[in-house]
Amino acid sequence: MKKALITGITGQDGGHLAKLLDEKGYEIYGIIRGQQNPKRRDVEEEFPYVKLIEADLTDMSSLVRALQIAKPDEVYNLGAISHVGYSFKDPQLTFDVTGKGPLNMLEAIRLTGGEKTVKFYQASTSEMFGGLDYNRPDKGYNEDALFHPRSPYGVAKLYAHWITKNYRESYGMFAVSGILFNHEGERRGLEFVTRKITNAVARIKLGLQDHIELGNLDPKRDWGYAGDYVRGMWLMLQQDKPDDYVLATGETHTIGEFLDLAFNEIGIDDWRPYVKQNPAFMRPAEVDILLGDPTKAEKVLGWKREVDFPGLVKLMVQHDLELESRK
Ligand code: NAP
Ligand code: F7E
């Protein structure tokens, strides 16, 4: 039985990955932070098979302890301050967790003698590209594209990306980065634009609220389904050789298009009367467009996304209608 240690077990991807690894017969350990983490009970209820270990990415000694307890074959580092807007408000904490956290984990793996035995996955991101230097407009960013991060989050992730590569090259570690474009779904946090929209749409339908306040509606994103993307993470760690891969859909859509589909789902053709713009949700620097090219992952890993854009919006709205009508 293989053993996996997941950081970010309380997050969106942590939940999808726990389910996948359980189906594959793994023994699963999850790192949970804080004295009274409010999400602990949810994880214990939904994933009773996950063994929780208290630790924090900013505290290397706690990671050493977690590795000594779990003795994992695979470490999935999904923990991060992951909200781009928030990273402008707390840039230093973002660096400590999102940038230096992965270094702490890599060092902890080395210190516990795992550099030749433990496989390490780093959750890299399309935010490292930043939407500028966009020189492949038809095909999108691939693994060789230029990086130009536009937020403290993107910059921190870029450090983590390069330190992961550096540990692979310096110590021969099986350390890989998945450069994942936006992936969403029923587990997405309510602070991200897709879930904020689908949850508001459900509540508007049920008469629980009458409008939604959003920031910049012009950006375009390559939105996929998180359940498809965690399969890609796992595949990256099953290869003979460590390498980095882009996971994306190869399509990009505006927030307006997301709103069209989400409101159509509840029978509303024109969302404009229900959406107000609020500058509080705008960012000091924006990533205008993201489009990914997953050709390498498709060829080498045999990865393919299964949920398309309309299917993603539909599943999120339907989930939120059910959730909100139960409250
Ligand atoms: P998420 O839902 O925001 O989850 C973030 C997780 O990080 C939470 O479990 C959180 O725990 C944990 N965390 C925060 N600070 C921590 C600390 N100091 N020590 C240990 N854990 C800490 O993120 P996600 O959407 O699942 O994304 C997973 C990873 O992929 C993240 O690294 C994200 O940056 C990256 N990524 C995401 C996407 C996407 O579209 N979803 C795309 C590319 C890359 P608490 O519950 O205790 O706060
Ligand atoms: O914003 C705009 C916002 O916060 C998407 C993270 O998982 O994916 C995610 O980062 C777009 C941006 O995701 C609101 O300005 C408008 O242009 O849903 P988001 P993100 O910034 O793309 C990447 C790949 C990650 O790695 C990150 O961890 O939507 N937008 N109005 C808004 N965004 C939010 N959150 N809220 C609004 O009201």
Side-chain angles (χ1 to χ4, degrees), residues 184-201:
E184 319 291 317
E186 69 280 13
R187 295 181 181 279
R188 191 53 145 154
L190 289 163
E191 68 274 34
F192 298 95
V193 78
T194 55
R195 186 77 196 286
K196 187 174 170 182
I197 292 171
T198 61
N199 191 259
V201 161

Side-chain angles (χ1 to χ4, degrees), residues 218-235:
D218 297 329
K220 296 175 98 175
R221 289 289 182 274
D222 180 330
W223 279 300
Y225 178 54
D228 287 338
Y229 286 52
V230 297
R231 226 176 338 100
M233 296 176 187
W234 176 78
L235 283 168

Side-chain angles (χ1 to χ4, degrees), residues 82 125 153 182 188 191 193 196 215-216 221 255 283 286:
S82 77
T125 166
Y153 169 76
N182 297 56
R188 191 53 145 154
E191 68 274 34
V193 78
K196 187 174 170 182
N216 187 354
R221 289 289 182 274
I255 294 165
R283 296 166 184 181
E286 181 59 89

Side-chain angles (χ1 to χ4, degrees), residues 81-99:
I81 287 184
S82 77
H83 194 272
V84 174
Y86 180 77
S87 78
F88 286 99
K89 295 178 182 145
D90 217 335
Q92 287 172 321
L93 183 65
T94 302
F95 178 71
D96 288 344
V97 179
T98 304

